[in-house]
Amino acid sequence: MKGKILITGSSGLIGSSLYNAFASEHHVTGVDITNKGVGTTDIQSDISNLDELSRILNEEKPEIVIHAAAIKDLAACEANPSRATRVNLETTKVLAQYTAEHPETKLVYLSSNIIIDGREGNYTEQSRPNPINVYGETKHQSEKRVLLSPRNVVCRTALVLREAPEVGSTYATLNRELGQKVLSNQSLFIEYVIGSLKRGKQIYMSEKHIANPTPVKLLTSQIREVIRKGLSGVLHTAGPISISRYDFARTIAKEYGLPREGIVKSQAGMLT
């Protein structure tokens, strides 16, 4: 059995995938505010309670911390920036401080393409961040804290998707999303497009927002390689194809034999 890994956000899409990928070779501890019944949360805790987070770190003494927990909903971050800052940034400060005080511990931080303003395109790891919203700013400031320790690594990803879309699903989260104009849970992008078009609902998709759709299995394998090779610094860990949300939605519709007429170009520049 290899070293101890602690994963925050372990019940989420990315966290649970990472937990399952590492569990056979490492002693893995999953931490999350909720236990969604997927068997990947060992400690149910709100890590925005910073004293509690410090206690968990000092008790578990992990060799690797994978920080996947965050408020990712852009609208929620704009509506409550103080909460977004506490959950996204302040928790990262605690983790970064722990790795600074324990140089044997490596922090793997899950960041986002949202730290870039998107005006130029063809971004590399050396491109200068310029966040244009609260979520992006919390991730950018977090990156700076993480990178103070040379062993740590920032893994920037984009539009992370389920490996097998739950096309026929009727679970509550998807139903709630289908009732909204703008998709808040981006991991449900494929299901949202399919479900909306099957209901005859018109959906508005941006031609301006370009991303690299990233199957969660691909992201998990990339992070495994990052850890195996002991990489550090800033890395882009995402899918290989850049595509607008509008074109991606049309591709999905074609794949599933659904009418593309229901996909309308967004004039407001919305993410969906």
Side-chain angles (χ1 to χ4, degrees), residues 8-16 18 32 36 67-78 83-85 87-88 109-114 133-136 138-139 155 157-160 177 183-188 216 219 245 271:
T8 69
S10 60
S11 285
L13 175 63
I14 297 172
S16 60
L18 289 166
D32 206 312
K36 298 178 181 177
H67 189 25
I71 297 175
K72 302 179 180 72
D73 184 332
L74 302 188
C77 289
E78 295 296 325
R83 181 168 177 263
T85 298
V87 173
N88 293 358
Y109 177 64
L110 269 294
S111 190
S112 168
N113 63 326
I114 302 296
N133 52 39
V134 171
Y135 173 71
T138 64
K139 301 303 275 187
C155 295
T157 193
L159 195 56
V160 181
E177 293 286 0
L183 178 65
S184 60
N185 186 340
Q186 294 291 313
S187 70
L188 293 173
V216 69
L219 176 61
R245 280 166 168 73
L271 274 179

Side-chain angles (χ1 to χ4, degrees), residues 152-198:
N152 294 343
V153 60
V154 169
C155 295
R156 291 181 188 153
T157 193
L159 195 56
V160 181
L161 304 167
R162 298 169 188 275
E163 192 64 23
E166 300 180 34
V167 176
S169 176
T170 57
Y171 65 94
T173 304
L174 179 57
N175 282 335
R176 185 168 61 249
E177 293 286 0
L178 289 171
Q180 298 178 3
K181 243 184 179 182
V182 178
L183 178 65
S184 60
N185 186 340
Q186 294 291 313
S187 70
L188 293 173
F189 188 93
I190 296 176
E191 291 94 330
Y192 179 81
V193 170
I194 294 169
S196 297
L197 295 179
K198 281 187 172 181

Side-chain angles (χ1 to χ4, degrees), residues 85-263:
T85 298
R86 186 166 183 83
V87 173
N88 293 358
L89 174 58
E90 297 302 325
T91 59
T92 310
K93 288 181 180 179
V94 170
L95 296 173
Q97 183 62 33
Y98 181 85
T99 60
E101 295 170 356
H102 299 80
E104 71 281 2
T105 301
K106 181 185 188 72
L107 176 57
V108 180
Y109 177 64
L110 269 294
S111 190
S112 168
N113 63 326
I114 302 296
I115 69 162
I116 300 294
D117 59 25
R119 292 188 174 94
E120 296 178 5
N122 298 316
Y123 293 100
T124 70
E125 287 87 345
Q126 288 73 44
S127 298
R128 184 177 179 180
N130 185 32
I132 58 174
N133 52 39
V134 171
Y135 173 71
E137 184 63 25
T138 64
K139 301 303 275 187
H140 176 41
Q141 295 303 322
S142 292
E143 283 193 8
K144 292 198 288 187
R145 295 292 179 144
V146 170
L147 294 171
L148 291 175
S149 295
R151 276 173 51 84
N152 294 343
V153 60
V154 169
C155 295
R156 291 181 188 153
T157 193
L159 195 56
V160 181
L161 304 167
R162 298 169 188 275
E163 192 64 23
E166 300 180 34
V167 176
S169 176
T170 57
Y171 65 94
T173 304
L174 179 57
N175 282 335
R176 185 168 61 249
E177 293 286 0
L178 289 171
Q180 298 178 3
K181 243 184 179 182
V182 178
L183 178 65
S184 60
N185 186 340
Q186 294 291 313
S187 70
L188 293 173
F189 188 93
I190 296 176
E191 291 94 330
Y192 179 81
V193 170
I194 294 169
S196 297
L197 295 179
K198 281 187 172 181
R199 294 184 179 193
K201 175 184 173 184
Q202 207 169 54
I203 52 175
Y204 295 84
M205 293 285 162
S206 173
E207 252 193 332
K208 297 179 181 179
H209 291 95
I210 310 297
N212 293 62
T214 309
V216 69
K217 188 175 180 180
L218 173 63
L219 176 61
T220 298
S221 68
Q222 290 172 334
I223 292 173
R224 286 190 62 156
E225 281 296 288
V226 167
I227 291 173
R228 186 181 68 82
K229 293 179 178 178
L231 302 179
S232 59
V234 178
L235 297 171
H236 286 180
T237 49
I241 299 173
S242 298
I243 190 169
S244 73
R245 280 166 168 73
Y246 174 76
D247 288 332
F248 189 32
R250 287 177 61 83
T251 299
I252 293 166
K254 182 179 179 181
E255 180 70 22
Y256 286 90
L258 296 168
R260 287 179 283 181
E261 295 76 15
I263 305 167

